[in-house]
Amino acid sequence: MDRQYSGQPPSPVARAIQHWRRWLSVTGIVMIVLGILAIIMPVVSSYAVGFLIGSVLTLGGILAVMLAVSFQGTRVFVWMLVAGIFPLCAGLYLLFFPASGLVTLTFLIAAILLLRGLAQSAFDMGWIKGSGWVLVSGLVSVGLAAFIFAALPESSTVLLGILLGLDLIVSGVSLVVLAAAMPRVSDPV
């Protein structure tokens, strides 16, 4: 049963969600189904992820190198530059040699997480409130990298597909819950 809206006018974001709530639900359900399929067929989804990751790493590496240039002359410049060059090279490798193996892809993702975590941990922004979350993010990236390195090579053919499946399921559920929780706006009389 839809809830009726009463009280203050909704924000533009809330109005957009209310307007598109049916499509948010449909999109969420499709994402959940795709996530389940990715988990059921992790090898196939792992290979599909390889192409997408190669594309994203290439673009992200280009942007990270461009960002690193703005840190030239600081103590994090080298870390930022390495953290940009590495994903750029990894992305190009995956795009030009897609059948080279999921072990390599899994290893590259772990190395990128490690480098990103070290780069984030190098920032000293104690003067900015909430900057401790940058350090937490860096430590989480390093921890994930250690987990992936420890699971190599046995898990390399399924790890990416399972991670994709989990992400799709969680994202899909969040869209369905968001759409269901949004009250319906009554038409003006």
Side-chain angles (χ1 to χ4, degrees), residues 106-169:
T106 306
F107 176 85
L108 291 172
I109 289 172
I112 290 166
L113 285 170
L114 178 64
L115 290 171
R116 181 182 302 147
L118 292 173
Q120 288 175 330
S121 299
F123 277 95
D124 181 18
M125 299 185 299
W127 50 275
I128 297 176
K129 186 177 180 175
S131 65
W133 287 108
V134 175
L135 176 62
V136 170
S137 174
L139 294 175
V140 167
S141 291
V142 170
L144 286 172
F147 171 76
I148 292 170
F149 280 131
L152 282 173
E154 292 83 12
S155 65
S156 62
T157 58
V158 297
L159 182 66
L160 299 176
I162 290 172
L163 292 176
L164 172 67
L166 291 173
D167 183 63
L168 285 171
I169 291 170

